[in-house]
Amino acid sequence: MNAKLLLKTIFMIGILLLLVIMGMNNRQTVELSLPPILPKVQKMAAAFMYFAFFGVGVLTGTVLTAGGKRGGKSKAE
């Protein structure tokens, strides 16, 4: 297994662990207001908001890092 892949996996597991801890300890209701996008104020548990923001961050990182390498030079036979 690649050491870089192993470190990335351990880092992702650590971030997910923090997300679980935040979800377990932040059960109060919070408000989210985004007038241009959401017409009403959203009220939900803080844990759901953490999860949603984490998901948006993961998707953003995936989009930004995807497809960086185009096909390289082919080897001459």
Side-chain angles (χ1 to χ4, degrees):
M1 181 188 279
N2 189 353
K4 188 175 180 181
L5 178 62
L6 182 63
L7 288 174
K8 285 182 180 182
T9 304
I10 291 171
F11 177 74
M12 189 68 161
I13 290 172
I15 295 297
L16 288 172
L17 179 63
L18 289 175
L19 184 66
V20 168
I21 291 170
M22 282 190 280
M24 290 173 51
N25 294 312
N26 293 298
R27 296 183 182 173
Q28 65 272 17
T29 302
V30 294
E31 295 181 358
L32 175 66
S33 176
L34 291 172
I37 300 170
L38 302 171
K40 295 181 181 179
V41 174
Q42 301 295 314
K43 295 180 182 180
M44 62 181 74
F48 290 127
M49 291 229 189
Y50 288 133
F51 183 73
F53 294 145
F54 177 78
V56 169
V58 168
L59 288 175
T60 303
T62 302
V63 168
L64 290 175
T65 59
K69 295 182 181 177
R70 301 272 173 161
K73 296 180 182 177
S74 61
K75 293 182 180 180
E77 293 184 19

